[in-house]
């Protein structure tokens, strides 16, 4: 038979005041929560939660960099990798606030030009930078540093001083961080961007370090565009496919076994949160509940994840009879929203 681990991004529940309001828009979600009962609360962001689902063990960091390197077409080998994603640092009073480059355009040509400057400057330090995508950059280091980092999602929109790397080698990487800002300050790419009223790419953010882990957990199928899920599927030799249009298409295609599916990028441009929630409910939650009731699905684990926590609701085939379960939310969408450090 089949089971599914379904990851749902928390932003779909961010607009209503609480999940009690959200379920008024999503009757299928309401049914699922009534039958699944109290969720497991896991102190993992969505990246770590996906890696944990594959049985990946945390190193100093969760090894995001070598995993997404695979997804982006790189060959991590057994080297130590860090993400070195392009960012914009904005001065606010006495703080530097980080803006994630995923929120603005970076061309492949600009990324390659900036990375070429990094390699010319840091070659003697044993660092090698790669722009495998315009918005996802990497650096390898030999030997592997003693370093612990904070994710880009955690640091975005905040004072970077609170989130810089820690560990025995942290000061070296703080200096590298500062040198990159000076290197990029007068770079031709940024002069061009500023003349076009675009935010300059004036630094990179180091995070997600590690070596490629051996992944023992293999799903019957992974359905995702999320790079961590894709990289984990490649590393574990798991069949990988894009997210189907709806649960009916997935049920028609999915083979027996346990599957993992992320709806993170399965959104319509310009749609409101309420519309996306209703779309998800109609296309995914309600049909999956019907599949459990009809014996087409044995188990559904629904993960609602953000940058700090994951709520996991589990519904087994026998739970479909729990019509008496009077679910009352003891937590709200605010529990899933960003917490200021």
């Amino acid at each position: 038979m089949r089971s599914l681990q379904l990851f749902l991004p928390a932003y779909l529940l961010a607009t209503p005041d609480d999940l009690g309001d959200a379920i008024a828009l999503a009757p299928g979600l309401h049914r699922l929560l009534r039958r699944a009962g109290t969720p497991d609360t896991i102190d993992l962001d969505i990246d770590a939660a996906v890696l944990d689902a594959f049985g990946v063990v945390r190193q100093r960091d969760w090894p995001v960099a070598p995993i997404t390197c695979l997804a982006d077409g790189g060959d991590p080998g057994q080297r130590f990798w860090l993400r070195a994603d392009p960012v914009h640092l904005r001065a606010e009073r006495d703080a530097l606030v980080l803006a994630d480059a995923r929120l603005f355009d970076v061309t492949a040509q600009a990324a390659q030009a900036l990375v070429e400057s990094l390699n010319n400057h840091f070659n003697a330090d044993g660092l090698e930078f790669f722009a495998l995508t315009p918005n996802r950059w990497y650096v390898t280091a030999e030997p592997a540093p003693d370093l612990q980092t904070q994710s880009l999602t955690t640091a975005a929109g905040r004072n970077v001083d609170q989130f810089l790397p820690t560990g025995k080698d942290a000061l070296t990487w703080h200096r590298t961080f500062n040198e990159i800002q000076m290197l990029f300050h007068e770079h031709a790419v940024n002069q061009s961007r500023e003349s076009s009223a675009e935010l300059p790419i004036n630094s990179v953010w180091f995070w997600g370090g590690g070596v490629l882990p051996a992944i023992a957990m293999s799903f019957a199928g992974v359905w995702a565009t999320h790079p961590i899920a894709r990289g984990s599927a490649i590393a574990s030799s798991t069949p990988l496919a894009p997210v189907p249009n709806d649960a009916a298409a997935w049920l028609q295609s999915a083979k027996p076994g346990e599957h993992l599916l992320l709806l993170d990028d399965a959104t319509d441009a310009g749609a409101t949160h309420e519309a996306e929630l209703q779309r998800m409910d109609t296309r995914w939650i309600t049909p999956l509940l019907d599949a459990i009731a009809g014996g087409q699905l044995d188990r559904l684990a629904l993960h609602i994840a953000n940058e700090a926590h994951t709520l996991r609701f589990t519904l087994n085939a026998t739970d479909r009879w729990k019509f008496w379960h009077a679910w009352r939310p003891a937590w709200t969408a605010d529990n899933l929203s960003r917490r200021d450090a």
Side-chain angles (χ1 to χ4, degrees), residues 5-21:
Q5 294 200 37
L6 178 65
F7 282 79
L8 174 68
Y11 73 81
L12 288 181
L13 303 176
T15 298
D17 291 337
D18 58 38
L19 194 54
D21 290 338

Side-chain angles (χ1 to χ4, degrees), residues 84-241:
D85 291 333
V87 297
H88 171 75
L89 299 178
R90 181 179 69 253
E92 291 188 0
R93 297 183 182 179
D94 57 350
L96 279 178
V97 177
L98 185 150
D100 183 349
R102 289 174 295 185
L103 303 179
F104 50 88
D105 289 333
V106 182
T107 67
Q109 293 83 355
Q112 291 300 333
L114 289 167
V115 163
E116 183 178 352
S117 295
L118 291 174
N119 283 326
N120 289 338
H121 185 83
F122 291 105
N123 182 268
D125 296 327
L127 304 181
E128 186 175 7
F129 290 82
F130 303 85
L132 296 184
T133 78
N135 296 96
R136 286 194 294 275
W137 300 3
Y138 300 84
V139 62
T140 62
E142 183 64 38
D146 185 326
L147 208 63
Q148 193 163 356
T149 69
Q150 298 287 336
S151 73
L152 178 59
T153 304
T154 298
R158 302 178 182 180
N159 182 355
V160 297
D161 287 344
Q162 305 172 55
F163 301 99
L164 291 173
T166 59
K168 292 181 180 178
D169 296 321
L171 290 179
T172 298
W173 287 84
H174 293 181
R175 287 193 293 270
T176 301
F177 181 66
N178 292 331
E179 284 184 49
I180 291 172
Q181 294 171 52
M182 293 186 286
L183 180 66
F184 282 0
H185 180 64
E186 297 293 337
H187 198 285
V189 165
N190 284 325
Q191 291 180 346
S192 175
R193 290 181 67 86
E194 290 184 23
S195 67
S196 302
E198 295 179 284
L199 289 176
I201 302 161
N202 54 15
S203 192
V204 304
W205 190 252
F206 297 117
W207 70 283
V211 298
L212 185 67
I215 299 182
M217 175 65 180
S218 180
F219 290 91
V222 170
W223 313 75
T225 58
H226 193 292
I228 291 179
R230 290 171 49 236
S232 298
I234 294 168
S236 59
S237 300
T238 298
L240 175 63

